[in-house]
């Protein structure tokens, strides 16, 4: 159905990236075992980053049925930014900016 199209776009973009990367890695490394290891470890880094980011974002969103019923929208990035800036100082702000940049560009 047409409702699934927007959700499928990131998957197609990811497939285009892997269609270029896998042949290049295969030709550079040569050995099938090294290729599998490189692709597995190379894919696990963005996966871990995405999972950590999702867990942090979901952990910041308070679940209160009354706010959902009233249509109040909660922004987890604002809450994360406030928590990091109050407790993390400049290092925390730099970390948050780095994670935001990497999450958007990944």
């Amino acid at each position: 159905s047409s409702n699934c199209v927007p959700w499928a776009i990131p998957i197609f973009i990811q497939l285009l990236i892997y269609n270029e990367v896998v042949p290049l890695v295969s030709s550079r490394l040569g050995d099938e075992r090294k290729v599998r290891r490189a692709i597995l470890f190379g894919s696990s880094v963005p996966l871990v980053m995405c999972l950590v980011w999702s867990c942090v974002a979901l952990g910041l969103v308070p679940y209160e049925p009354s706010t959902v019923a009233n249509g109040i929208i909660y922004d987890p990035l604002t809450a994360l930014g406030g928590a990091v800036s109050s407790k993390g100082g400049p290092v925390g702000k730099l970390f948050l900016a780095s994670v935001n940049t990497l999450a958007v560009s990944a």
Side-chain angles (χ1 to χ4, degrees):
S1 91
S2 63
N3 293 339
C4 297
V5 172
W7 294 97
I9 291 173
I11 295 169
F12 288 126
I13 292 171
Q14 190 68 22
L15 287 173
L16 291 173
I17 292 169
Y18 272 102
N19 283 339
E20 294 177 10
V21 170
V22 172
L24 177 68
V25 170
S26 298
S27 66
R28 295 273 172 101
L29 295 178
D31 184 21
E32 182 179 343
R33 186 174 175 191
K34 289 180 182 178
V35 170
R36 287 180 190 235
R37 187 178 301 152
I39 292 173
L40 178 68
F41 289 134
S43 300
S44 64
V45 171
L47 174 66
V48 169
M49 287 176 57
C50 183
L51 290 174
V52 167
W53 181 250
S54 296
C55 290
V56 167
L58 289 174
L60 290 172
V61 177
Y63 177 71
E64 296 177 20
S66 62
T67 59
V68 174
N70 292 333
I72 297 172
I73 298 173
Y74 183 79
D75 184 16
L77 291 178
T78 305
L80 179 62
V84 168
S85 63
S86 67
K87 296 178 185 172
V91 174
K93 288 182 184 179
L94 179 63
F95 175 73
L96 181 62
S98 302
V99 170
N100 284 338
T101 303
L102 292 172
V104 170
S105 65

